[in-house]
Amino acid sequence: MTKNLNEYYQKNYTALASTYDETRFGGAKREFSRFSKNEAVMAFFREYNIPKNAVITDVASGAGRILHCLLKNGYTNINATDLTQAMLDVSEKNVPQGTKQFVHYHCADMKK
């Protein structure tokens, strides 16, 4: 069962990778989704005073909405993991200029 589920996700998220954010979070939902999720993450990091150089792992990173927010807020040691390389490729392509050296990408199954 797990193998078939992983195959399903790999196949579908690989196919959707290049349009994932626009399809899922485009249009009127875009700003609300981006603002609410990013603000929640940054509020957590501020509340717990997470150092800018702390090792952060973004599990199921996908196209990188959260990690891009972290980079824009000065975090410099981020591990991005996702089940599909295609999603990580989209994330890496969209990383803010001058920040690629702060992200380490890993294609991996988060359940292992």
Side-chain angles (χ1 to χ4, degrees), residues 41-61:
V41 169
M42 294 318 304
F44 174 87
F45 278 65
R46 282 190 299 272
E47 181 177 343
Y48 291 97
N49 198 28
I50 307 296
K52 300 287 185 176
N53 65 346
V55 176
I56 300 166
T57 301
D58 184 3
V59 177
S61 187

Side-chain angles (χ1 to χ4, degrees), residues 25 32-42 65-66 69:
F25 303 104
F32 176 75
S33 174
R34 182 177 296 147
F35 174 78
S36 61
K37 186 173 265 191
N38 291 352
E39 265 310 302
V41 169
M42 294 318 304
R65 286 182 322 279
I66 298 296
C69 174

Side-chain angles (χ1 to χ4, degrees), residues 77-96:
N77 197 358
I78 304 168
N79 292 296
T81 64
D82 199 86
L83 184 61
T84 59
Q85 186 61 49
M87 291 296 268
L88 294 173
D89 292 344
V90 169
S91 175
E92 187 171 15
K93 183 180 120 190
N94 294 319
V95 163

